[in-house]
Amino acid sequence: MNKLAPDEVDRIAALARINLSTEEKSKLAVEMAGILDYVGKLSKVNVEGIEPTAQVTGLENVTRADDQMKDIFRGTKPATLLEQAPEREGDHIKVKVVLKKN
Amino acid sequence: MTKVIDNQKLTIGLARKMLEGKEISVEELRNLFVGRIKERNPAVNAYLSVFETHPGESAPRPSANASRLSGMPCIIKDNILVEGKKATGGSKILENYLASYDATVVAKLKQSGADILGKGNLDEFAMGSTGEYSAFGVTHNPYDLSRVAGGSSSGPAAAVADGQAIFGLGSDTGGSIRTPAAFCGVVGLKPTYGRVSRFGLMAMASSFDQIGPITQNVEDAAEVLSVIAGRDYRDSTSSPSLVPDFAAGLGESIAGLRVGVPREFNGYGLDVQVKEKIEVAIKKLESLGAKIIDISLPMTEYALAAYYIIVPSEISANLARYDGIRYGLSERKKAGNLLEVYVNSRDEGFGPEVKRRIMIGTYALSAGYYDAYYAKAQKVRTLIRKQFSDVFKKCDIIAGPTTPTMAPKIGELGDPLAFYLADIFTVQANLAGLPAISIPCGFGQEEGVKLPVGFQMMADYFKEDLLLKAAYALEQHIK
């Protein structure tokens, strides 16, 4: 394909939560088509009966004890984490309204 | 301190001798490197931030590695968290973010007494193979400032090559330690997936990422790996595999070592000068008693395609957290509602390559395309692992070039695919999770300037000791 359809780029950008400019969208329509064409060569590979690989360690059900959570950040206090928030109110991170009143 | 010291010749071994012999103090050693950084950073741009004082040595716990790297000046890639210091990830979206905690590897380095000099430049969120995608300017190759240092661990590799650090920590998802090590003429090691904790590393592709050492020589790589490796309860993907002393076997004979040379690594735009140096290195291995075996890696043709489906997919999930809410750039002034905070922050904060990969990943995971792209690629990944398990029945080490070319000029690579194709020899190690190392094997020449060439070796899972032994043996005989 030469380029992705504009509404396809819009759909993906909305899912990706990125407000792309018009120029970015036209550029990406072409670039994405080129990349998707290249990776499309996998259609030639026979994978019948092959299981997918999600991870390469082979580890399963790795757990840790509840009390290990105490030291997980090596002594960092919640206040330090909150300091990085763009907008705060006391110990809360402030955001724009999520649910509107009717 | 009376004699003039060449930073670029200082290894951990040499520096340790000088410190123990009182030829130099820890502070003098630090000043040597900080002085070099101040002199060279404007031209090379390896460091994004420099720590004026030692960031603090934690109280040594009883451990075999306490003080093992005492006083050693090092650079940490800026996608690895150092508590209280800026961690930008090479991105505008984290331009002013201060790390809230130490990555496990950083905590281990501090326990071993290492002196962190600062944070290293990188392609934004580790996405790139040249260093050109950093939001804070490209890192220049110390051998030729008009050329790239390689990516994505561009800062650490250039700093070690230029005598601005004795060692560095980088991260490798598709070649990001090995490629810059090759372009800058230093050693870069990607451990087996799970060998080193990823806690405190900004996640790019969680089933591929590994942190590893970038050093002047193989012995130093073994030293640093010994300190940073090991199971971490904070990282559920870290392996319980026992950590040997990786430096212990160095110097042993490699007679009888079976070295597989993949015939597929002879193509893909392999530069004739690179090919020549690789062949010399292979002959050297043979002269040391290794058995050279012709092998095939038939999945090479498809590996890059599988990589550039799975990795962007994992990226699209991992970078969802950068939304302007809990940290980082937050575009709220123009935003009329919550959704606009997300879409505007991400638009303003992310660079073009990051956007491209998020878009590709989102597409590959979306309804209607998931089976053809992502699910298919995961099955191809299984075939790649099967390929290696077959090959490692016939040989102990797989050897070849790290990259098809020497360092390109800044701005030379045009379209995104050209950058991706530079990873052709490195990505399979990440897809399978195998350990791999790049060591310098001589120089080629472009326009009268000598440029480093990297030799890559891969070994089977958790066989870093064998990998390092083979690399060390070759290193002693390559000049």
Side-chain angles (χ1 to χ4, degrees), chain B residues 262-280:
Chain B
R263 60 188 86 117
E264 290 82 5
F265 283 18
N266 208 0
Y268 298 103
L270 183 63
D271 180 284
V272 66
Q273 293 188 71
V274 173
K275 180 177 164 148
E276 196 192 299
K277 290 283 167 287
I278 300 305
E279 285 173 348
V280 167

Side-chain angles (χ1 to χ4, degrees), chain A residues 8 24 51 53 76 87, chain B residues 100 332 347 355-356 369 382:
Chain A
E8 189 79 313
E24 281 177 317
E51 286 298 299
T53 292
T76 295
E87 212 174 327
Chain B
S100 315
R332 310 164 155 253
D347 176 50
K355 284 175 176 170
R356 210 159 18 235
Y369 296 113
T382 303

